[in-house]
């Protein structure tokens, strides 16, 4: 959309110069289809200029008192005369543009809060903060249009919710529709992405007085070209939502109850109502009533029963309804399992232990957390040592949104997520200085995983503490999270110094979900509490399917009648505990959703536990190539159909041709896929060890191109001999086209990391090293006339090695490498010639790669798609397998 | 008993402005004042800056005529360097000023003033504005905007699309014209001429029926001042200052800008924070003089371009010879000036000097004081700088056109009020004439006073004891 930006104001009048300053900064971004003018004031001739554009954005400083942050409003043409005779105002200019020059531009006014308009240069603190906000807003506005679909659950019908949506959409100039369905309110709005984001962050705060949102998931889809906004009639006979809802973060009303000393639920950690509380984690079977939950053992007291039976009470048929008199109670156990205190006293014990720097196991909604105060280096180190988790960052539970802002960058979108009913862990960029966060929490990591309390127990804990705590899954590394008290005592003995438990059983473990905001959209990296088991829609599914997922970060899925129910995150299937959980989840989902699969889908990998399980199921089996499943998951996540080019980059996946795939370009059609291209293969010495040691990847790459001398002294002489022998004789060595391993190899080359403590550590650090550098691509040749073409990284490797020797900075070289990957990707897309390009696989959790690829693809005229609700990593595989099984003619 | 009159504010001039009309015991108008609040802060702000920065900084004071400040500042700086600028640089500066005069006059005529005489004096204020023009005559409104745009393009083609071009510099200019830019200007000249011609014909037609306005909207005796070329021709950038009187006699001539203080005094009146300059030999307030288009046409002997000279001849023949004294004719003078600017631009287009590479004289600080003068659209603009040996600004005095017209604006309001205000009840048509009396001067206060946020306009009627009889405020 051709856009004209007019920043106006007097740069000699301090804050009044904000308009031109914003214009100047936006001009530097070099956005396409955007013309920028800086002016002292608006003048009549701008009316003519405006008429040549489809959109005009006015940027001005304002001294209006109610304006305390950047505001963006739609401008309607006025037939009036501006107050100021020599200067014009946006509405009048727009009016003249329409009347005199047939202008059609849609117009926006962005106002920045002006504090100081005195004679002088430079800006007040308030304005200095507002300017970059406005720049981002404009940048967002110039992004392409999109369609946002939201499914909103809760008390959203019969409370004026649709008019609220209508009003907000109109105010923001968005087209689309809203309607009531069995699921709640479903809506689609279409417009510029920045405006859609405004819509997203404003829905909840501005909702009607009597409405309650208990869940909201959104998807960004291709625009349809809606005209106007309409309230659509409710569809007749649409699918009734199965009554299995995710666990919902504590609502404001319940929070009020537990913090009001006169309320009978004051400080009661199991408070809930129809709008919040446990669901998925306590449901044993359907129908969903108290007898089918782990609350069945608690007889409601008189008062609770009255609430439960009163249609006007907010606890009317709240199945887990409870109070201190009749409900579950807390208990504090010593490290050896001795009961030392109950109820409020137990909470006090836990608080004291945390304050003293001890490790406390806390039983929450969906499982145990291990907690330790995050500002105490020794406490965090102790937890690391005991949990045998040496490097991987820990998640934090913070006391408040304000506390989050003191250690992390937190956008409106990210803040919304933190306080949403889903309340996931949000990955946030940490500030340069993070006072009160021990180094050991996330050593060297550029991000922090942060969450806010989401159940009454966590609220009460955090209210009793003045510092954040580490809140990591209560398990040994790689095992599923503990749910049972005895099991926790057994498995976590030696880790926790004390246990804060309760007597409400957890029916199924549900970990904390992890979400990251990338490119202004949410990307679910781990789908569990708050999200599971809400379905992903799928069209054309004619038979019930079970999909058993992959191996790492596994999930399973069942699907029927247009919906895919993906299980919560189950973890790596490395241990017996994990594979037990995997099998439980399969049974669980089938039972809960009453789906008897007629086909099972599994990975092509013959040795995966999940594959074997599928083979043993007795059902017709569909084997789905790993990267094809990624591609289909991405397709389903974006409600798309092929053909499309899928760029599937991850660490590892069975290719079916004796090689390990992972740097794939697949052409996905309605019938299947074709491997269009892949990264040049190299031998990977040492099998699994290679994933832990980036230097092994590098060795394989150098061996492949005959430049082993560049390896320098990354191995001891003895080890080197062994590795070289492996390579030369092909012992325990497999060829791979893995992008993850290639990135590892470059990380090793640049001296960033030779061995890793957790998956993708080298890649994360390489990305971080590149930050702030403008990368320039080193071209990668696309070799071969026949498909699959090979993307040759040789020249890139040699050039970077040489420049490193010449002393060029690691940051610049890391940036160049990322840019090289992006540019190779676009080149393959050009050759493949599909408009839709899917970006999937774990590598596209890398912001630099994703942003670079999306930007470059758009510039080159492609439509890039990436992940939103379904994880791009192996957590999304089961979803893709379902789609494949639907497509497969076999089985 | 004192009377109280409410007058609508002056709606179409910029700045924080107030009009006060004073009644005597008999309820007759005894005085009128147009007040503006000036910030002296800007001159202070410049102290301590480097001379080299001054053209760019001063250009940022005003969004209406940045070029006038840019050029006056450059000329003051030339004096301090004690250099003559290269021939090409002088021509390029002139070209930019011609663009500035064209666009500013177009705004004043089509946008601010035309509604009064095209829509009618007695039309309600809601209609008597540019929107009214758009409704009545969209072609004219469009043409007016495009003429303004033409002037703006000339400026941009020289100075770039920067908000305030730091193009003119001490000693010359930074860059010349490109051939493409020349071609662009040439291609747009015919439309600009045509629009100007339409406006001239329109105004000449109207004025025949507007004798009342000519006689009553600010017709009074005063002195006139402006730059005049070495042959007595109309001038806008070079030349020397000349004063003439309302009989058409030249009373002072060939005054160098450096000597302005011998001829111009600056009085400070309590009623206004704006300095009121006057012709020194005649004292205050008798030395009241007017600047701007009306004055420039009165002081010059001829325009120097054929079409404009023909128009000047007709104008003088009909409206008072060498001393046209009605402020209403400022509009007429503006149109003749636009025509002259276009002709001069057209002539310059064939001048090979515009593409020269020799554009700037280099020198250090050779004088510690320099005065630059240039004709801004509203009248003569002075920049007076004192620097130290390193070129650090020690003192700045700026005299702007609107300030110099301050006394005349008061007088204008007084004359109109005297004619039409006879009691507390005033029909809107009369108020409109009072407003228009101010508008004739196209006062732009944005360099003397900056419009920050809303700018209320106030008209007050005061009784003999100075008590406010009535006051009306219209939000800006």
């Amino acid at each position: 959309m051709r856009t004209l930006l007019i920043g106006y104001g007097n740069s000699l009048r301090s804050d009044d110069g904000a308009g031109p300053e914003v214009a100047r900064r936006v001009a530097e971004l070099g956005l396409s289809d955007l013309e920028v003018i800086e002016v002292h004031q608006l003048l009549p001739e701008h009316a003519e200029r405006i008429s040549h554009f489809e959109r005009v954005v006015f940027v001005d400083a304002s001294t209006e008192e109610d304006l305390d942050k950047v505001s963006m409003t739609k401008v309607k043409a006025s037939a009036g005369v501006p107050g100021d005779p020599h200067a014009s105002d946006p509405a009048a200019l727009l009016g003249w543009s329409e009347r005199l020059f047939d202008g059609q531009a849609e117009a926006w006014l962005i106002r920045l809060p002006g504090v100081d308009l005195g004679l002088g240069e430079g800006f007040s603190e308030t304005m200095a903060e507002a300017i970059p906000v406005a720049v981002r807003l404009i940048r967002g506005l110039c992004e392409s249009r999109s369609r946002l679909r939201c499914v909103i659950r809760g008390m959203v019908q019969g409370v004026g919710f649709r008019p609220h949506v209508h009003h907000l959409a109109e105010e923001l100039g968005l087209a689309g529709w809203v309607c009531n369905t069995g699921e709640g309110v479903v809506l689609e709005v279409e417009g510029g992405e920045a405006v859609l984001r405004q819509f997203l962050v404003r829905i909840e705060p501005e909702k009607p007085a009597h409405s309650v949102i208990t869940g909201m998931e959104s998807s960004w889809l291709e625009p349809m070209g809606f005209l106007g906004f309409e309230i659509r009639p409710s569809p007749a006979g649409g699918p009734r939502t199965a009554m299995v809802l995710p666990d919902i973060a504590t609502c404001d009303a319940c929070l009020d109850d537990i913090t009001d000393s006169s309320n009978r639920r004051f400080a009661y950690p199991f408070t809930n109502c129809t709008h919040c509380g446990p669901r998925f984690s306590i449901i044993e079977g359907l129908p969903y009533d108290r007898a089918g939950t782990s609350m069945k053992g608690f007889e409601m007291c008189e008062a609770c029963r009255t609430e439960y039976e009163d249609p006007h009470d907010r606890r009317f048929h709240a199945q887990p309804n409870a109070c201190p008199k009749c409900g579950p109670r807390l208990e504090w156990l010593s490290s050896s399992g001795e009961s030392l205190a109950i109820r409020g006293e137990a909470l006090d014990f836990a608080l004291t232990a945390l304050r003293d720097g001890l490790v406390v196991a806390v039983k929450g909604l969906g499982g145990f957390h291990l907690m330790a105060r995050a500002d105490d280096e020794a406490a965090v180190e102790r937890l690391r040592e005991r949990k045998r988790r040496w490097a991987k960052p820990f998640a934090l539970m913070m006391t408040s949104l304000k506390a989050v802002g003191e250690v992390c960058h937190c956008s409106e979108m990210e803040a919304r997520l933190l306080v949403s009913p889903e309340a996931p862990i949000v990955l946030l960029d940490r500030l340069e200085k993070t006072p009160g966060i021990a180094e050991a929490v996330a050593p060297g990591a550029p991000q922090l995983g942060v969450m806010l309390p989401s159940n009454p127990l966590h609220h009460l804990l955090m209210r009793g503490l003045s510092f954040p705590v580490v809140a990591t899954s209560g398990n040994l590394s790689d095992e599923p999270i503990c749910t049972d008290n005895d099991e926790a005592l057994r498995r976590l003995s030696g880790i926790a110094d004390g246990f804060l438990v309760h007597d409400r059983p957890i029916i199924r473990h549900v970990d904390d979900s992890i979400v990251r905001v990338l490119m202004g959209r949410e990307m679910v990296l781990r789908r569990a509490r708050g999200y599971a088991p809400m379905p992903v829609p799928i069209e054309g599914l004619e038979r019930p399917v079970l999909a058993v997922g992959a191996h790492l970060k596994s999930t399973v899925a069942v699907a029927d009648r247009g919906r895919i129910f993906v299980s919560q995150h189950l973890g790596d299937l490395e241990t017996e505990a994990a594979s037990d959980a995997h099998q439980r989840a399969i049974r669980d989902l089938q039972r809960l959703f009453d789906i008897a699969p007629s086909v099972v889908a599994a990975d092509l990998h013959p040795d995966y536990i999940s594959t074997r399980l599928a083979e043993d199921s007795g059902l017709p089996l569909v084997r789905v190539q790993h990267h094809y499943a990624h591609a289909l998951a991405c397709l389903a996540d974006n409600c798309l159909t092929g053909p499309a080019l899928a760029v599937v980059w991850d660490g590892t996946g069975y290719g079916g041709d004796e090689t390990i795939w992972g740097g794939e370009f697949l052409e996905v059609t309605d019938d299947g896929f074709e491997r269009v291209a892949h990264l040049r293969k190299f031998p990977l010495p040492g099998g699994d060890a290679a994933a832990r040691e980036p230097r092994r990847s590098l060795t394989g790459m150098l061996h492949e191109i005959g430049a082993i001398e560049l390896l320098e002294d990354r191995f001891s002489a003895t080890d080197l001999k062994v590795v070289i022998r492996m390579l030369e004789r092909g012992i325990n060595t497999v060829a791979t086209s893995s992008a993850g391993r290639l990135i590892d190899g470059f990380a090793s080359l640049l001296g960033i990391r030779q061995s890793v403590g957790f998956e993708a550590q080298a890649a994360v650090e390489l990305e971080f090293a590149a930050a702030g550098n403008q990368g320039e691509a080193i071209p990668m040749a696309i070799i071969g006339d026949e498909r699959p073409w090979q993307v040759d990284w040789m020249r890139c490797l040699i050039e970077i090695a040489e420049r490193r020797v010449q002393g060029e900075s690691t940051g610049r070289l890391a940036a160049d490498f990322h840019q090289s990957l992006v540019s190779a990707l676009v080149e393959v897309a050009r050759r493949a010639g599909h408009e839709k390009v899917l970006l999937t696989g774990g590598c596209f959790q890398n912001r630099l790669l994703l942003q670079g690829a999306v930007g470059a693809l758009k510039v080159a005229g492609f439509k890039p798609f990436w992940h939103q609700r379904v994880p791009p990593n192996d957590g999304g595989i089961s979803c893709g397998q379902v789609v494949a099984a639907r497509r497969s003619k076999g089985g | 008993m004192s009377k109280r009159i409410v007058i609508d504010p002056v709606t179409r001039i910029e700045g924080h402005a107030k009009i006060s009309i004073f009644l005597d015991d008999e309820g007759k108008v005894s005085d009128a004042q147009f007040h503006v609040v000036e910030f002296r802060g800007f001159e202070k702000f410049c102290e301590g800056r480097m001379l080299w920065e001054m053209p760019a900084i001063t250009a940022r004071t005003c969004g209406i005529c940045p070029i006038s400040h840019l050029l006056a500042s450059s000329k003051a700086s030339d004096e301090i360097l004690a250099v003559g600028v290269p021939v090409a640089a002088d021509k390029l500066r002139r070209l930019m000023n011609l663009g500035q005069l064209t666009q500013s006059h177009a705004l004043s005529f089509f946008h601010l003033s035309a509604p009064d005489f095209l829509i009618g004096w007695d039309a309600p204020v809601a209609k008597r504005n540019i929107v009214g023009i758009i409704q009545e005559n969209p072609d004219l409104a469009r043409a007016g905007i495009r003429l303004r745009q033409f002037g703006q393009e000339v400026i941009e083609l020289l100075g770039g699309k920067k908000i305030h071009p730091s193009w003119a510099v001490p000693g010359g200019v930074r860059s010349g014209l490109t051939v493409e830019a020349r071609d662009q200007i040439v291609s747009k000249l015919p439309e600009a001429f045509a629009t100007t011609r339409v406006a001239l014909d329109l105004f000449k037609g109207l004025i025949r029926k507007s004798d009342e306005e000519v006689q009553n909207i600010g017709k009074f005796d005063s002195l006139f001042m402006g730059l005049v070329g070495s042959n007595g021709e109309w001038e806008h950038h070079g030349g020397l200052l000349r004063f003439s009187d309302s009989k058409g006699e030249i009373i002072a001539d060939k005054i160098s800008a450096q000597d302005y203080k011998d001829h111009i005094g600056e009085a400070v009146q309590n009623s206004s924070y704006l300095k009121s300059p006057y012709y020194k030999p005649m004292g205050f307030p008798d030395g009241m003089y007017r600047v701007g288009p009306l004055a420039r046409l009165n002081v010059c002997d001829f325009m120097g371009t054929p079409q404009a000279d023909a128009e000047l001849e007709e104008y003088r023949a009909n409206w008072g010879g060498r001393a046209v004294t009605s402020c209403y004719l400022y509009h007429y003078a503006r149109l003749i000036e636009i025509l002259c600017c276009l002709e001069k631009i057209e002539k310059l287009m064939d001048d090979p000097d515009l593409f020269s590479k020799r554009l700037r004289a280099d020198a250090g600080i050779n004088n510690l004081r320099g005065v630059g003068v240039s004709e801004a659209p509203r009248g003569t603009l002075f920049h007076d700088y004192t620097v130290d040996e390193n070129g650090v600004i020690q003192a700045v005095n700026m005299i702007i056109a609107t300030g110099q017209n301050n006394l005349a604006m008061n007088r204008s309001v007084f004359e109109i009020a005297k004619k039409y205000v006879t009691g507390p009840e005033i029909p809107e048509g009369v108020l409109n004439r009072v407003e228009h009396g101010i508008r004739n001067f196209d006062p732009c206060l944005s360099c003397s006073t900056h419009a920050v946020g809303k700018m209320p306009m106030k008209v007050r009627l005061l009784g003999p004891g100075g008590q406010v009889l009535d006051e009306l405020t219209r939000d800006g």
Side-chain angles (χ1 to χ4, degrees), chain B residues 273-351:
Chain B
Y273 296 103
L274 197 63
K275 290 175 289 189
S276 297
Y278 60 96
Y279 179 56
K280 227 175 191 173
M282 289 175 67
F284 178 81
D286 294 342
M288 170 176 70
Y289 65 91
R290 282 179 263 184
V291 295
L294 188 79
R296 286 194 288 258
L297 262 58
N298 279 344
V299 297
C300 77
D301 299 334
F302 60 101
M303 297 303 289
T305 61
Q307 291 187 48
D309 267 321
E311 291 297 334
L312 182 68
E313 199 178 320
E314 183 184 336
Y315 164 87
R316 284 183 170 168
N318 291 326
W319 303 105
R322 282 296 294 262
V324 177
T325 57
S326 168
C327 286
Y328 193 65
L329 295 166
Y330 260 104
H331 302 307
Y332 198 166
R334 239 170 239 129
L335 293 173
I336 295 172
E337 284 200 331
I338 295 177
L339 188 60
C340 183
C341 288
L342 296 177
E343 287 183 285
K344 283 181 179 281
I345 291 171
E346 188 176 39
K347 187 148 180 276
L348 274 170
M349 291 297 101
D350 297 326
D351 193 327

Side-chain angles (χ1 to χ4, degrees), chain A residues 172 310 406 593 659 741:
Chain A
L172 291 169
D310 176 3
E406 282 161 12
F593 298 103
T659 71
R741 295 296 84 79

Side-chain angles (χ1 to χ4, degrees), chain A residues 238-354:
Chain A
R240 302 294 304 176
T241 301
M243 294 299 283
V244 185
L245 292 176
D247 300 327
I248 305 160
T250 311
C251 72
D252 290 345
C254 283
L255 199 54
D256 287 346
D257 288 349
I258 64 168
T259 51
D260 171 7
S261 58
S262 66
N263 192 290
R264 70 191 186 94
R265 288 189 176 83
F266 176 62
Y268 182 58
F270 305 95
T271 303
N272 64 80
C273 70
T274 30
H275 306 140
C276 71
R279 300 288 186 273
F280 192 47
S281 59
I282 59 162
I283 294 175
E284 291 175 335
L286 291 177
Y288 174 55
D289 56 33
R290 196 170 175 106
T293 71
S294 64
M295 287 300 291
K296 66 186 172 195
F298 299 92
E299 181 81 22
M300 268 186 277
C301 66
E302 193 64 30
C304 284
R305 178 148 303 277
T306 310
E307 292 166 340
Y308 184 84
E309 290 171 354
D310 176 3
H312 303 294
D313 195 280
R314 81 169 206 279
R315 296 194 166 90
F316 178 57
H317 278 259
Q319 304 305 345
N321 189 24
C323 75
K325 205 169 156 199
C326 63
R329 59 168 209 196
L330 283 182
E331 189 173 13
W332 173 254
L333 308 177
S334 72
S335 57
S336 56
E338 190 186 346
S339 174
L340 298 180
I342 56 166
R343 300 212 160 96
E345 213 189 332
L347 184 73
D348 289 340
F349 264 89
L351 288 171
T352 306
L354 283 169

Side-chain angles (χ1 to χ4, degrees), chain B residues 231-247:
Chain B
N231 298 316
E233 77 276 19
W234 180 86
E235 183 49 271
H236 64 102
H237 184 62
L240 295 166
L241 294 163
R242 174 185 282 179
F243 282 90
S244 66
D245 64 17
S246 42
K247 293 185 203 66

Side-chain angles (χ1 to χ4, degrees), chain B residues 130-340:
Chain B
I130 184 68
V131 176
I133 297 268
I134 287 171
Q135 276 161 358
E136 300 282 320
N137 196 340
D139 288 339
L140 187 70
R142 216 167 3 243
I145 287 177
R146 289 182 58 86
L147 182 58
R148 219 193 111 70
Q149 202 171 20
F150 170 77
Q152 192 60 32
E153 266 177 44
V154 171
I155 294 168
E156 284 184 7
L157 288 170
L158 287 168
K161 284 192 175 179
K162 280 270 160 233
I163 174 164
H164 295 302
S166 51
W167 171 80
V169 288
V173 299
R174 285 190 199 276
S175 56
L177 194 68
T178 64
V179 175
E180 296 76 40
R182 192 262 318 265
D183 292 347
Q184 190 177 331
I185 294 172
V186 168
S187 74
K188 296 197 168 171
L189 266 169
E191 185 188 342
F193 271 115
T195 300
T196 309
R197 187 49 70 191
V198 166
L200 260 172
D201 291 346
L202 182 78
F203 191 80
K204 284 195 271 185
L206 283 170
I207 202 166
R208 268 182 229 116
K209 297 174 263 172
S210 310
D211 196 51
E212 189 198 334
E213 282 78 18
V214 176
Q215 295 306 321
N216 296 328
I217 300 196
K219 187 162 191 276
F220 52 88
D221 288 353
S222 76
L223 304 181
F224 301 96
M225 187 192 78
L227 286 172
V228 174
S230 54
N231 298 316
E233 77 276 19
W234 180 86
E235 183 49 271
H236 64 102
H237 184 62
L240 295 166
L241 294 163
R242 174 185 282 179
F243 282 90
S244 66
D245 64 17
S246 42
K247 293 185 203 66
E249 302 292 333
I250 294 168
I251 59 165
D253 200 8
K254 301 195 192 308
I255 303 164
S256 156
Q258 311 304 315
D259 303 328
Y260 80 93
K261 284 201 166 167
D262 297 341
H263 301 270
I264 296 173
E266 290 185 76
V268 177
Q269 290 176 279
N270 287 340
S271 59
S272 166
Y273 296 103
L274 197 63
K275 290 175 289 189
S276 297
Y278 60 96
Y279 179 56
K280 227 175 191 173
M282 289 175 67
F284 178 81
D286 294 342
M288 170 176 70
Y289 65 91
R290 282 179 263 184
V291 295
L294 188 79
R296 286 194 288 258
L297 262 58
N298 279 344
V299 297
C300 77
D301 299 334
F302 60 101
M303 297 303 289
T305 61
Q307 291 187 48
D309 267 321
E311 291 297 334
L312 182 68
E313 199 178 320
E314 183 184 336
Y315 164 87
R316 284 183 170 168
N318 291 326
W319 303 105
R322 282 296 294 262
V324 177
T325 57
S326 168
C327 286
Y328 193 65
L329 295 166
Y330 260 104
H331 302 307
Y332 198 166
R334 239 170 239 129
L335 293 173
I336 295 172
E337 284 200 331
I338 295 177
L339 188 60
C340 183

